[in-house]
Amino acid sequence: MSDMTSSEEQLRRRLLGDPPGHVLLGWLGPLVAAVVGGVLRFWDLGRPHQLVFDETYYVKQAWSMLQWGVEMRNGGPFGEKPDEAFTRGTLDVFNSTDGDLVVHGPVGKWVIAAGEALFGGADSSVGWRFSVCLLGTISIFMLGRIARRLLGSSVLGTIAALLLAFEGHHFVHSRTGLLDLILMFFALGAFGALLLDRDRSRRLLARRAAVAPAEQWADDRWLGPSMGWRPWRWVAALSLGLAAGTKWSGLYFLVVFGLLTVLWDVGARRAVGVRLFGFAGVVRDGIPAFFTVVPTVAVTYLLSWWGWFVSDHGYNKRWADTHPASATWAWVPDDLRSWWNYQSQILDFHRGLSTPHSYQSNPWSWIVMGRPTSMFAEYPKLGEDGCTVDMCAKVITPIGTPTIWWLGVAAVLVVLFRWALGRDWRAGAILAGYAGGYLPWFLVGDRTIYQFYAVAFVPYVVLAVTYLLGMVAGGPDASRVRRQVGAAVVGGYLVVTVLVFAWFWPIYTAQVIPYQQWWLHMWFPSWV
């Protein structure tokens, strides 16, 4: 029995490595970072009391979903310019009979609607940003816990949480009623759930593989023992379905994370001595994973449209009435056929979105914040809105904290090197986040795209930087001097990052500042 226990422990260490130490810090560090980040994000959240950037779509759509269950078309006495009336409290700015053609799923708008319902009206700018701000704050804690497990260090987990708390791109999105941070949140939740699944399944594999072969799996050593039920995969699938129901770009994470979890299983089977580890990983793990994850994502996505199915006002709801089904598809309910045609119209929209825009950008520039999107800009004169000089600026620009993004360029190269040559699974996991949130945008051809989409993969930029900082700080085997120098460098980097974040604060939060001062904050040429 003791030999079996020893064998199981050896296998567990081989499969999982040493567990992170400092358990209390592992919880308190990310929690404190989330509290700090939350205070910063919730401070004066209602400023400005105006619809910022694409809030003009999602905030009003969220309110109409509370009333009708679907997104309604702008209408009534305010025509195509309802924003000013809406923010003054005149919420009846919709055509009460016509659903609107919207090109993003309903999940993110239901999230925004929850905050509007909580604060008693869509005319509350705090209300329409509250839910997104809450998710942004929670994601700081989530990333800290994820980094702790991924990098095997409570200190690095705390550092990752702090970096996200002071990351400007994430900060601005947390204070704006848009969909992209919601997408990021659900994708990050899926990533964390798959990490938990990796831990749970490998512990079980170690226990079963350590059992005497004659008793359990001598006859199945070609495939290895089962890893049992995988509940965290269901959680990941649910989260990915909600991501896809927010924006279709969430499906990219489904593909990448699905491959990632199967590759982890292949590696686990190889580590315990399974002979046909690749075949086993596909047959025993990959195929069940597919039939667990993909149907769950599909059903979650379909159910997210429940408001459209139960409403009489949804866009395209009566399409099937004038398009009878062929004999082959006569068994499909009319509502489902209408919904499917609606999805095809959404696909056509995304394929044809190529209208030039002054703030469109190439994905290559995103990782250095080459062309941030101006989300809000006003230029009050003397005596207006508290302006005390001839001309002021009141802007919101989601510039990512340069110390994070620019170091992130070097960090992702290091991570790529460590994965390609060192087969470091942690590096591969970080790269998977980049692959799901960043690489697909290089494949969209002439479509008009914007840098604010980059918030979907900002957690993995932070993880890459944290990974690099961990190398700088030195591991447990490093000399005392090396660790002291490394700690000083990392500490100095964190201080500089906070100061840089503070420098951009006025243009993150729409503060009224002299025009010349605003110009100074926009010092990088391509930001002007």
Side-chain angles (χ1 to χ4, degrees), residues 10 22 27-28 56 106 125 133 151 195 339 437 461 492 496:
Q10 290 175 359
H22 303 95
W27 287 100
L28 286 183
T56 185
S125 48
C133 194
L151 303 177
L195 273 177
W339 176 82
V461 175
V496 172

Side-chain angles (χ1 to χ4, degrees), residues 200-225:
R200 183 181 184 277
S201 61
R202 287 185 169 221
R203 281 194 295 267
L204 182 60
L205 181 63
R207 182 164 62 250
R208 291 182 173 179
V211 174
E215 298 177 30
Q216 288 287 339
W217 63 290
D219 296 331
D220 200 19
R221 58 185 177 273
W222 299 96
L223 297 179

Side-chain angles (χ1 to χ4, degrees), residues 62-353:
W63 178 251
S64 74
M65 290 171 74
L66 287 174
Q67 311 307 308
W68 290 280
V70 294
E71 303 91 333
M72 302 299 286
R73 187 178 303 168
N74 291 334
F78 305 103
E80 296 300 319
K81 297 182 178 180
D83 288 10
E84 186 176 348
F86 188 85
T87 56
R88 289 200 308 263
T90 304
L91 307 181
D92 186 16
V93 295
F94 303 100
N95 184 319
S96 62
T97 60
D98 296 330
D100 197 10
L101 168 61
V102 294
V103 295
H104 298 302
V107 172
K109 284 161 281 186
W110 281 118
V111 170
I112 295 171
E116 293 177 340
L118 182 64
F119 283 82
D123 56 331
S124 167
S125 48
V126 172
W128 75 59
R129 295 170 186 151
F130 176 83
S131 295
V132 180
C133 194
L134 181 62
L135 295 189
T137 301
I138 295 173
S139 68
I140 296 171
F141 178 76
M142 287 171 56
L143 186 67
R145 293 294 297 172
I146 287 170
R148 177 183 184 269
R149 174 62 196 98
L150 182 69
L151 303 177
S153 168
S154 295
V155 174
L156 292 180
T158 301
I159 289 174
L162 286 171
L163 288 177
L164 190 61
F166 290 97
E167 201 292 297
H169 199 52
H170 182 276
F171 176 82
V172 172
H173 274 272
S174 297
R175 292 171 53 85
T176 312
L178 304 182
L179 303 181
D180 299 87
L181 186 131
I182 302 171
L183 166 64
M184 178 229 76
F185 177 85
F186 288 126
L188 182 63
F191 185 77
L194 290 177
L195 273 177
L196 291 171
D197 172 74
R198 182 182 186 274
D199 283 1
R200 183 181 184 277
S201 61
R202 287 185 169 221
R203 281 194 295 267
L204 182 60
L205 181 63
R207 182 164 62 250
R208 291 182 173 179
V211 174
E215 298 177 30
Q216 288 287 339
W217 63 290
D219 296 331
D220 200 19
R221 58 185 177 273
W222 299 96
L223 297 179
S226 168
M227 293 192 193
W229 184 51
R230 311 286 289 267
W232 285 109
R233 271 188 175 161
W234 292 94
V235 174
L238 176 62
S239 193
L240 288 169
L242 293 172
T246 301
K247 275 192 166 185
W248 277 9
S249 50
L251 294 173
Y252 297 132
F253 287 104
L254 166 63
V255 174
V256 174
F257 289 172
L259 292 173
L260 177 67
T261 187
V262 174
L263 289 175
W264 282 346
D265 289 345
V266 170
R269 294 192 178 277
R270 181 180 183 181
V272 300
V274 174
R275 295 183 182 181
L276 299 179
F277 55 85
F279 179 75
V282 173
V283 172
R284 299 214 67 166
D285 305 309
I287 294 176
F290 179 88
F291 286 105
T292 296
V293 174
V294 174
T296 302
V297 170
V299 170
T300 301
Y301 178 78
L302 179 63
L303 292 177
S304 74
W305 288 82
W306 69 271
W308 184 91
F309 282 104
V310 302
S311 172
D312 294 328
H313 304 291
Y315 174 82
N316 212 50
K317 190 66 181 288
R318 300 303 174 195
W319 177 87
D321 294 347
T322 56
H323 296 79
S326 65
T328 304
W329 299 104
W331 59 274
V332 179
D334 284 351
D335 275 1
L336 195 58
R337 291 198 303 114
S338 297
W339 176 82
W340 185 256
N341 179 265
Y342 187 178
Q343 305 304 298
S344 69
Q345 292 186 47
I346 295 174
L347 179 61
D348 289 340
F349 173 87
H350 288 303
R351 284 175 172 172
L353 185 60

Side-chain angles (χ1 to χ4, degrees), residues 440-449:
W441 296 109
F442 289 93
L443 307 176
V444 296
D446 297 329
R447 179 179 168 178
T448 305
I449 56 178

